[in-house]
Amino acid sequence: MISKGVKHMLVATFFFSLMNFLVKLIGHIPSYEVVFFRCLVSIVLSLFFLIKLKIPIWGNNKKYLILRGLFGIMALSMYFTTLQKIPLASAVTIQYLSPIFTSIFAIWILSEKLSWQQFAFFGVSFAGVALLKGFDSNIDNTYFILGLGAAIFSALAYNMVAKVRYTDHPYVVVFYFPLIGLPVTGAISFLNWVPPQGWDWLILLLIGVTTQIAQVNMTKALQSENIATVSSIRYLGIIYALLISVLYFGETYTWLTVAGMALVVIGVVLNIRYRFKHK
């Protein structure tokens, strides 16, 4: 029988994959503008829950909350760009390096320690990325670097979340993402506005809604189940991405690039399981 935590992570993975599909589908709208609409939906939903639950919206550890917002916006903008510009499954795979960078940054930010086994797992994942980049001619160097940048800034954002886990409510942490992102992406979008047309408005709304559903379910999964177990399930997203990429967008992959994706996932999952086995 499937546990509650696993069910939540399966739902989260599905809706994250749906979000990826929608961002790819609306590739004619600049990524920063897509992020702007995503923040618009998120700030409305976040404020609704904060007010309903009577939680002070400004939080306590403002320095790290602001940094979480800044790093998160940079990461999402870069990630959405890669989703729009390179094959879907490749963009998703590169983003899945973020747990590795999270562990590395945690050495300095959270004073955590890493074992030689973990560095070996990191080597497996980076070998997968090298294989992916080396044998996928559809990945331009610029977007490859942007993809790595997205994973790095995601890792920094995750470390900021960890810094405030004992001082600020999760809804406040979520709120700071659109609080910082809305004016930043709004200003950029105003200067380079591409008017959405017809169905674009519905797709932009759905991007915000699917992301919110995915984040809520992922949080519930992480709170109710062994983290190593549910975190591993998230990597089903690469299979979803491959299927959508090939069947809907007609993108192609060689066996070597698929092998590279597999190595990335194997390295990350082994690291996750090792961390929580030796916690």
Side-chain angles (χ1 to χ4, degrees):
M1 187 175 178
I2 301 176
S3 68
K4 185 178 179 181
V6 170
K7 287 179 181 177
H8 280 304
M9 187 55 82
L10 287 171
V11 172
T13 302
F14 173 79
F15 277 98
F16 273 128
S17 298
L18 185 54
M19 179 207 73
N20 292 335
F21 166 71
L22 292 168
V23 172
K24 184 81 171 178
L25 192 63
I26 202 167
H28 56 284
I29 301 293
S31 59
Y32 51 79
E33 195 171 322
V34 178
V35 175
F36 169 74
F37 281 103
R38 182 254 186 265
C39 288
L40 194 60
V41 174
S42 182
I43 202 165
V44 171
L45 294 174
S46 297
L47 280 172
F48 171 79
F49 285 108
L50 286 169
I51 293 170
K52 181 180 179 180
L53 298 174
K54 298 180 180 179
I55 300 170
I57 66 174
W58 302 116
N60 300 305
N61 206 334
K62 294 180 179 62
K63 172 185 173 181
Y64 292 113
L65 287 169
I66 291 171
L67 285 173
R68 181 266 181 271
L70 286 172
F71 291 143
I73 285 301
M74 294 174 74
L76 194 64
S77 298
M78 291 178 178
Y79 178 49
F80 278 9
T81 300
T82 61
L83 283 174
Q84 294 178 338
K85 300 298 184 181
I86 68 175
L88 179 64
S90 298
V92 172
T93 301
I94 296 171
Q95 177 62 18
Y96 278 163
L97 286 173
S98 58
I100 288 179
F101 290 120
T102 299
S103 296
I104 293 173
F105 287 133
I107 296 174
W108 297 281
I109 297 174
L110 303 175
S111 300
E112 294 186 356
K113 295 181 179 180
L114 295 178
S115 68
W116 68 265
Q117 290 98 326
Q118 288 177 278
F119 281 106
F121 300 150
F122 298 165
V124 172
S125 289
F126 284 120
V129 171
L131 197 61
L132 178 67
K133 175 64 180 75
F135 291 94
D136 193 340
S137 58
N138 294 312
I139 303 179
D140 180 88
N141 287 335
T142 299
Y143 298 120
F144 176 70
I145 293 171
L146 275 178
L148 287 177
I152 289 170
F153 281 111
S154 292
L156 288 169
Y158 295 150
N159 273 275
M160 295 305 104
V161 171
K163 291 287 283 188
V164 301
R165 60 187 163 189
Y166 300 121
T167 60
D168 292 281
H169 194 282
Y171 280 124
V172 175
V173 179
V174 172
F175 171 66
Y176 264 80
F177 178 84
L179 180 67
I180 302 298
L182 200 60
V184 173
T185 57
I188 298 172
S189 298
F190 177 77
L191 296 172
N192 305 276
W193 185 255
V194 177
Q197 303 290 330
W199 289 102
D200 292 348
W201 294 103
L202 177 60
I203 293 172
L204 289 167
L205 174 63
L206 287 174
I207 288 171
V209 172
T210 53
T211 306
Q212 198 78 5
I213 293 172
Q215 288 184 330
V216 168
N217 277 278
M218 184 172 69
T219 301
K220 289 181 178 179
L222 294 173
Q223 290 176 340
S224 61
E225 188 82 28
N226 178 276
I227 297 179
T229 301
V230 294
S231 295
S232 301
I233 293 170
R234 188 178 174 188
Y235 292 88
L236 286 172
I238 290 184
I239 297 175
Y240 290 148
L242 271 172
L243 291 174
I244 294 170
S245 181
V246 173
L247 298 177
Y248 189 89
F249 294 108
E251 296 170 336
T252 58
Y253 301 87
T254 66
W255 284 108
L256 286 173
T257 57
V258 174
M261 294 175 190
L263 286 175
V264 171
V265 174
I266 289 169
V268 173
V269 171
L270 286 174
N271 176 57
I272 291 171
R273 290 188 172 277
Y274 181 90
R275 281 184 63 192
F276 290 97
K277 185 177 179 181
H278 295 83
K279 195 170 182 179

